[in-house]
Amino acid sequence: MAMGKYSRVDGKKSSNCCSTVTVVVLVAVCLVGVWMMMSSSVVPLQNSEVVVEESSKEVKESISEGGSQQFEDTSGQLPDDGVKEYGNAGNESNSDESQTESQTNKESESTQEENQEENLAKENTEEAPKTNAYSDQNGDNGEGVSKSKDANSGSEGEETKTDGSESNESEQRESEENSGDNTSITEENGDENKKDNKEDGQTDENADQNQGTDTEQSSEEKQTESEENSQGSNDVFPAGEQSEVLKESNTQDGAFSTQAAESKNEKESQKSSISENGYSWRLCNVTAGPDYIPCLDNIQAIRQLHSTKHYEHRQRHCPDEAPSCLVPLPEGYKIPIKWPKSREKIWYYNVPHTKLAEVKGHQNWVKVTGEYLTFPGGGTQFKNGALHYIDFIQESLPDIAWGKRTRVILDVGCGVASFGGYLFERDVLAMSFAPKDEHEAQVQFALERGIPAISAVMGTTRLPFPANVFDVVHCARCRVPWHIEGGKLLLELNRLLRPGGFFVWSATPVYQKLPADVEIWKAMKQLTKSMCWNLLVIKKDKLNGVGAAIFRKPTSNECYDQRGINDPPLCQKSDDPNAAWNIQLQACMHRVPVDESERGSRWPEQWPVRVEMPPYWLASTQIGVYGKSAPEDFNSDYEHWKHVVSKSYLSGMGINWSSVRNVMDMRAVYGGFAAALKDMSIWVMNVVPIDSPDTLPIIFERGLFGIYHDWCESFSTYPRSYDLLHADHLFSNLKKRCKLVAVIAEVDRILRPGGKLIVRDKVDTISEVESMARSLQWKIRLIYSQENEGLLCVEKTMWRPSETETIMSAIA
């Protein structure tokens, strides 16, 4: 019979069989014992998962809380990928005991570090001042908001537990936006900083700079809050329009989002021009395209003019209803180059006009250099550079004393404003202006470079400035026919020029002997003499081959009274020289103020002393804008804005001020906001609305400059002109006279992408502006309220709607 393999022939089992079985049983028992001993020292699988999930939640909470740890790389903050790896390792612990033990130890260490970090965060939270932020419908205060954010962070961690996918961060953000947008909102938009730096065409360098700035500001905010907290609650926001500084909540960046989620949200937001807030935005379909200025491009009104002899077609002709559409961006637009590099070059596609380069390139106005437009610093009268020309004027008349006696000047027919751009090195502010004419984009070039300028023309109406405010008026080859029609245009400069101020005329009639030039010079000498202007010097610049004549306005009325012929005539006493909004020009002169209490009777203090001193003509018997005596009002306003700027704007807004150059104060009052920024490399256009107290002369007296304007109409500047707009209790007043939507559309027009709008106003108005800003896809940088006063800081993005609206008045 067949025998089984390895069996004994005699059929008897081996004596080793029993012992083998015994060994197997003993080994099994030992293994079971070892397994039981090991399992008692290892965290059970389900508990390991809980630890991982809690760790993930704590990480997200620490990131979302921001504060001083916004961008700090601490050992307790683990990336999501790291958390996921720990979770997967826990699932594999059954097959590898030593690996499980190692992972468990790591998780325990990570959890301890995170607990320490959480305790530290709690301590910081307890130290932070508890102030009222914008509350939701349930009326949660700042403390409630903080709790709400913790809850949201926990919810976010739970989503990671459920799905473990990055897409849940996008869903969480959408949930937060839909459920509580009226709480303190500085957190949600920090997520989008990276998105807009990429989507909006900003360079990686800008993104890195912004991140570094935010890190520095984070620590500065803690110090600022501590200092403000020690000053008492009255520093935060006292009642009344003359309110002290708003103490902001921390500018927080919140949890970092993914590029995929950010791109998805941005693409979805661009699909429609109708926002979730109910505001409908459309692009302006106009002939001027990206350069649209509503009050200067009203082609329909220009066609109906009976004459253009006095440049009426270059003056303001505002449409009956201010447009509420948005101006498109030029194709290829980029975030502007920073000052001072912008003085020498700008992006070509931001102002894609080449006519001036073709016509004036040989005079070193502007040149096309690859993707840039470059500005060698020349002009028609100073081909070899503005600085040499500026020094030439100083040498011709040392009394002009750039930056000391002379601080604020008016540059007529400025071209690309290189003269004003280089005067900054001499501590001089130049208000440059030129018309929107065949020399296309000259003012736009100036603004893109970071040089103050407006689009204006000397036509039939007064320029929008008060009388006796400019220290010097300059005109280099500006082609203005000063001598015609009784010298009406030169008499307008006489109105603006401060008594004792200088008129610098650098033009061909001064130094050329062509018949036409000789006739003009003869007429100008006769006119200026009859105006009692004293011709101080005529000097020729050998390098540039040009000459300049410098005249001085009288400081008394003696010459006027001694004239044999009253021509040009003196204006009627009823004629207010400070009236300047849509006032027709008249060929007359106003008498010079000589009473010691009158403005203009003596020269201001030298710069920079004049910026801090109340003007001598502000009497203590006068009541100021805020109800105190005028000098006291002036001083308290200055102290207020110094406090606001230093404790709030420079450190609490998350604004990278190194990228800010062109600033506008939309309601300037005494110019305190601009004065508080005087030591920074910026300039501020101080706007005094026509329905506000006329404080613009005070602003000029301080060595600052500004302009009158009606914000129910468009401003005389090109789109994308300003880096920062500041509106202090402006919009609530405007709502009584015009549509706020149109005003915000104008704000969008003149603000650059990436630019900031700071609004201080009543809470209901802040809420309206916030809703419109959201509908424009702007980022909410900060929002804050106390009692009935609020503060809002928003940032314009590159977003443009897809639908268009045709403005018939602007179609050629």
Side-chain angles (χ1 to χ4, degrees):
M1 68 184 278
M3 295 294 179
K5 194 175 182 180
Y6 302 120
S7 63
R8 289 179 60 88
V9 176
D10 60 2
K12 294 182 180 179
K13 293 183 179 180
S14 172
S15 60
N16 293 330
C17 180
C18 181
S19 61
T20 301
V21 172
T22 303
V23 170
V24 170
V25 172
L26 289 174
V27 170
V29 171
C30 291
L31 289 174
V32 170
V34 170
W35 179 83
M36 293 179 65
M37 292 175 64
M38 291 294 296
S39 63
S40 65
S41 63
V42 178
V43 180
L45 176 61
Q46 64 271 23
N47 292 340
S48 175
E49 291 174 349
V50 170
V51 171
V52 170
E53 291 155 5
E54 290 178 351
S55 173
S56 173
K57 181 165 65 176
E58 289 172 358
V59 169
K60 291 181 179 291
E61 287 178 353
S62 66
I63 294 175
S64 65
E65 285 179 5
S68 63
Q69 300 179 4
Q70 284 178 358
F71 296 100
E72 292 178 1
D73 187 12
T74 61
S75 59
Q77 295 182 355
L78 299 176
D80 288 344
D81 291 342
V83 174
K84 292 174 185 176
E85 288 174 4
Y86 280 122
N88 293 336
N91 292 333
E92 296 170 1
S93 63
N94 291 333
S95 62
D96 194 336
E97 297 167 355
S98 60
Q99 183 177 353
T100 302
E101 183 176 1
S102 173
Q103 290 164 352
T104 304
N105 292 336
K106 289 181 180 178
E107 291 168 5
S108 177
E109 292 172 1
S110 174
T111 303
Q112 291 175 359
E113 291 173 351
E114 290 167 5
N115 288 338
Q116 291 174 358
E117 182 182 347
E118 185 179 13
N119 292 335
L120 178 61
K122 289 180 179 179
E123 292 175 4
N124 292 338
T125 303
E126 292 173 356
E127 292 174 0
K130 297 180 180 180
T131 55
N132 291 334
Y134 260 142
S135 58
D136 57 19
Q137 294 178 352
N138 295 326
D140 291 340
N141 59 14
E143 187 176 3
V145 170
S146 177
K147 292 178 181 178
S148 175
K149 284 191 287 188
D150 289 342
N152 288 339
S153 299
S155 175
E156 196 173 56
E158 291 170 5
E159 288 177 352
T160 304
K161 171 183 175 180
T162 304
D163 295 331
S165 63
E166 294 176 347
S167 62
N168 282 321
E169 295 183 22
S170 174
E171 296 172 1
Q172 174 68 13
R173 184 169 61 253
E174 292 174 2
S175 174
E176 291 173 350
E177 289 176 353
N178 293 333
S179 63
D181 285 339
N182 285 335
T183 59
S184 184
I185 310 199
T186 58
E187 181 176 351
E188 66 173 359
N189 289 282
D191 299 349
E192 300 171 6
N193 284 343
K194 197 176 234 181
K195 173 187 75 178
D196 285 298
N197 286 340
K198 298 293 184 182
E199 297 274 342
D200 299 353
Q202 289 186 357
T203 63
D204 292 336
E205 179 182 355
N206 287 340
D208 293 339
Q209 290 175 348
N210 289 339
Q211 179 169 326
T213 303
D214 289 342
T215 306
E216 295 173 2
Q217 289 168 346
S218 185
S219 60
E220 290 173 358
E221 288 167 13
K222 290 175 63 179
Q223 181 179 357
T224 300
E225 288 176 355
S226 177
E227 292 174 357
E228 290 181 9
N229 205 27
S230 66
Q231 293 172 1
S233 60
N234 288 336
D235 260 358
V236 178
F237 213 7
E241 194 160 315
Q242 170 58 358
S243 56
E244 292 297 328
V245 61
L246 282 169
K247 185 167 64 176
E248 304 79 14
S249 57
N250 286 337
T251 302
Q252 300 171 343
D253 286 299
F256 290 103
S257 182
T258 65
Q259 182 59 221
E262 291 167 353
S263 299
K264 179 182 177 182
N265 290 341
E266 179 66 15
K267 290 173 183 176
E268 289 178 352
S269 69
Q270 292 181 358
K271 289 181 180 178
S272 174
S273 61
I274 301 178
S275 74
E276 62 182 11
N277 301 76
Y279 293 99
S280 177
W281 302 102
R282 294 176 174 83
L283 286 180
C284 299
N285 178 23
V286 293
T287 301
D291 298 336
Y292 179 46
I293 305 176
C295 289
L296 297 181
D297 291 317
N298 190 346
I299 299 173
Q300 189 177 71
I302 293 172
R303 285 174 178 161
Q304 297 174 357
L305 293 173
H306 300 294
S307 172
T308 59
K309 178 182 177 182
H310 298 97
Y311 290 88
E312 291 91 342
H313 58 303
R314 307 296 185 194
Q315 296 183 155
R316 290 172 59 85
H317 301 281
C318 298
D320 294 334
E321 184 174 346
S324 57
C325 54
L326 308 181
V327 176
L329 295 176
E331 186 176 352
Y333 180 84
K334 296 182 180 181
I335 298 300
I337 295 171
K338 295 180 182 179
W339 179 271
K341 290 183 179 179
S342 62
R343 188 176 63 180
E344 277 73 44
K345 65 180 183 179
I346 63 175
W347 296 114
Y348 167 76
Y349 285 106
N350 285 13
V351 192
H353 301 295
T354 60
K355 186 173 182 178
L356 273 180
E358 297 166 2
V359 176
K360 300 290 187 180
H362 66 288
Q363 297 175 348
N364 286 335
W365 279 34
V366 56
K367 298 179 182 293
V368 180
T369 309
E371 60 181 347
Y372 301 104
L373 290 166
T374 57
F375 301 86
T380 304
Q381 298 300 96
F382 41 91
K383 293 180 288 185
N384 293 289
L387 279 176
H388 170 78
Y389 176 74
I390 291 168
D391 290 338
F392 157 69
I393 295 173
Q394 173 84 51
E395 292 167 2
S396 301
L397 185 66
D399 286 349
I400 211 161
W402 296 126
K404 294 182 173 60
R405 184 182 190 273
T406 298
R407 166 64 181 175
V408 185
I409 76 167
L410 181 68
D411 188 18
V412 182
C414 62
V416 297
S418 289
F419 180 65
Y422 283 89
L423 274 171
F424 277 106
E425 296 186 13
R426 303 291 190 267
D427 266 344
V428 177
L429 279 178
M431 174 73 77
S432 302
F433 77 92
K436 187 177 183 181
D437 60 7
E438 63 275 4
H439 286 166
E440 61 182 14
Q442 51 187 329
V443 167
Q444 192 174 17
F445 283 138
L447 290 163
E448 185 73 14
R449 296 174 70 188
I451 302 172
I454 60 169
S455 187
V457 65
M458 299 196 71
T460 64
T461 59
R462 290 177 177 176
L463 292 171
F465 310 110
N468 305 320
V469 291
F470 288 102
D471 303 336
V472 167
V473 176
H474 171 260
C475 172
R477 195 76 171 270
C478 53
R479 291 197 195 172
V480 178
W482 302 116
H483 60 288
I484 67 172
E485 297 185 342
K488 185 181 293 185
L489 299 182
L490 194 62
L491 291 168
E492 170 63 0
L493 295 189
N494 185 73
R495 181 183 73 88
L496 300 176
L497 189 59
R498 189 183 299 280
F502 303 113
F503 175 58
V504 180
W505 191 39
S506 171
T508 55
V510 176
Y511 58 93
Q512 288 188 355
K513 301 302 179 184
L514 298 175
D517 290 323
V518 171
E519 287 297 317
I520 293 174
W521 175 247
K522 182 179 179 180
M524 276 291 288
K525 282 185 65 177
Q526 182 177 351
L527 175 61
T528 54
K529 184 177 180 180
S530 64
M531 293 170 58
C532 295
W533 282 13
N534 184 20
L535 177 58
L536 299 180
V537 64
I538 300 177
K539 191 170 182 178
K540 189 168 184 177
D541 178 14
K542 295 180 180 179
L543 178 62
N544 288 308
V546 301
I550 304 178
F551 302 85
R552 185 172 185 262
K553 181 179 176 178
T555 56
S556 72
N557 296 304
E558 183 179 354
C559 176
Y560 296 156
D561 297 333
Q562 292 177 353
R563 291 184 306 165
I565 301 176
N566 188 29
D567 185 31
L570 293 176
C571 299
Q572 299 292 327
K573 290 183 178 181
S574 60
D575 189 317
D576 183 0
N578 295 309
W581 188 251
N582 295 331
I583 302 297
Q584 294 295 308
L585 289 178
Q586 297 184 54
C588 66
M589 295 185 300
H590 296 89
R591 297 183 70 87
V592 173
V594 292
D595 190 290
E596 291 186 358
S597 63
E598 289 185 274
R599 178 174 65 86
S601 62
R602 70 175 192 239
W603 201 263
E605 298 290 336
Q606 289 193 353
W607 178 264
V609 176
R610 65 193 281 185
V611 75
E612 299 181 349
M613 295 183 60
Y616 63 89
W617 41 269
L618 278 185
S620 58
T621 55
Q622 293 177 269
I623 302 300
V625 174
Y626 302 120
K628 304 176 184 177
S629 69
E632 185 181 356
D633 225 29
F634 175 96
N635 288 327
S636 63
D637 178 80
Y638 186 36
E639 292 301 318
H640 160 66
W641 286 113
K642 284 196 296 184
H643 187 75
V644 169
V645 168
S646 63
K647 300 296 185 183
S648 172
Y649 291 1
L650 296 185
S651 60
M653 295 284 190
I655 297 174
N656 180 8
W657 285 88
S658 67
S659 63
V660 175
R661 171 64 180 174
N662 303 353
V663 179
M664 176 186 287
D665 192 354
M666 301 177 70
R667 181 177 174 271
V669 191
Y670 296 115
F673 171 63
L677 294 169
K678 65 181 176 62
D679 295 327
M680 300 182 66
S681 184
I682 63 176
W683 61 273
V684 181
M685 177 69 78
N686 294 283
V687 179
V688 173
I690 60 170
D691 59 343
S692 295
D694 185 6
T695 52
L696 192 52
I698 298 174
I699 292 171
F700 275 94
E701 193 80 5
R702 303 182 75 170
L704 308 171
F705 63 19
I707 194 171
Y708 296 117
H709 183 60
D710 181 357
W711 282 114
C712 291
E713 302 176 357
S714 77
F715 193 79
S716 293
T717 192
Y718 282 85
R720 304 169 301 280
S721 293
Y722 287 87
D723 301 308
L724 188 144
L725 302 181
H726 182 258
D728 179 30
H729 291 85
L730 170 69
F731 296 136
S732 55
N733 292 328
L734 281 177
K735 288 193 299 182
K736 304 171 185 176
R737 299 195 300 114
C738 46
K739 295 180 179 178
L740 193 56
V741 171
V743 177
I744 298 301
E746 174 65 5
V747 167
D748 176 271
R749 189 184 71 85
I750 65 180
L751 191 62
R752 291 171 171 173
K756 312 299 189 298
L757 167 67
I758 300 175
V759 183
R760 306 167 70 89
D761 219 309
K762 302 299 182 184
V763 167
D764 59 338
T765 301
I766 291 287
S767 180
E768 286 186 65
V769 176
E770 178 208 349
S771 296
M772 282 184 268
R774 288 181 178 279
S775 69
L776 288 164
Q777 312 299 325
W778 290 9
K779 293 190 290 186
I780 311 298
R781 304 284 299 186
L782 182 144
I783 189 166
Y784 181 91
S785 72
Q786 182 170 320
E787 297 178 354
N788 193 36
E789 298 290 336
L791 173 66
L792 174 69
C793 179
V794 295
E795 178 179 338
K796 179 181 174 179
T797 65
M798 289 275 195
W799 179 82
R800 297 287 90 177
S802 56
E803 300 178 16
T804 61
E805 176 184 351
T806 300
I807 307 298
M808 296 306 300
S809 62
I811 298 294

